[in-house]
Amino acid sequence: MSAADDIRSTFLFHPPVDDAAAWQMTVEGFVHALTAAFPEAFTKYRNSGLRGNSVVDFEVEVQPEMWVEGVASTPVENSAVITLVGATSAEAAHFALWLRSGLVPRPDLVRFSSERALDSGDDTQWQILAGGGFEELRAVVAEHHEALEDE
């Protein structure tokens, strides 16, 4: 593991920008998929202050004693943004594994960035690998952090 594994960041998972509706996600569909995979998940609906649409706050145990929390929204119809708040590379990778196999229609449709990248002006879309396991995904997320360190 690298030093990037200890960095906590807010991660944003989304479909490819040029195919924003690729996930065909609804907030209700997200909640259904999340609670089917993680029966102990906590979810709470609320209205977004920005657009007035429904969003869901969630907290889920992606691995024993490894919890992530976040928000799922559909800023435009069938589009999606899922935000993990204060997650490590390992936590984000575990969540991305579920997202890739448990929510999106094809595993090659998951992109991500971080609040840290966006704050530094980097709007690069990083792709979650369509294959591979936890270690491979963790390495991609850690590489994202390391790239920011090099700037």
Side-chain angles (χ1 to χ4, degrees):
M1 288 197 192
S2 68
D5 290 318
D6 296 328
I7 298 170
R8 292 198 169 274
S9 188
T10 296
F11 290 93
L12 297 94
F13 294 94
H14 53 85
V17 171
D18 61 349
D19 191 7
W23 291 6
Q24 293 294 303
M25 188 183 100
T26 64
V27 172
E28 295 78 12
F30 172 81
V31 169
H32 176 74
L34 186 75
T35 55
F38 305 101
E40 300 296 318
F42 165 81
T43 61
K44 181 180 179 183
Y45 287 95
R46 64 181 168 84
N47 282 329
S48 167
L50 283 177
R51 292 190 171 86
N53 58 337
S54 184
V55 300
V56 68
D57 297 317
F58 65 90
E59 188 171 355
V60 62
E61 187 176 27
V62 291
Q63 287 288 293
E65 298 187 35
M66 181 183 283
W67 290 83
V68 296
E69 64 181 79
V71 179
S73 65
T74 53
V76 294
E77 189 174 347
N78 294 323
S79 178
V81 175
I82 300 172
T83 306
L84 291 187
V85 179
T88 65
S89 296
E91 292 163 346
H94 280 297
F95 184 79
L97 271 172
W98 168 76
L99 189 61
R100 183 182 76 186
S101 63
L103 181 70
V104 300
R106 289 193 343 250
D108 64 322
L109 294 175
V110 182
R111 304 294 187 273
F112 78 98
S113 188
S114 67
E115 183 178 48
R116 193 167 164 225
L118 296 173
D119 284 348
S120 70
D122 182 351
D123 61 357
T124 304
Q125 289 186 57
W126 287 69
Q127 182 171 357
I128 291 296
L129 303 172
F134 166 74
E135 284 301 326
E136 291 84 2
L137 269 69
R138 186 207 52 77
V140 169
V141 177
E143 181 182 339
H144 170 80
H145 278 296
E146 289 165 0
L148 293 171
E149 290 296 317
D150 294 339
E151 293 181 356

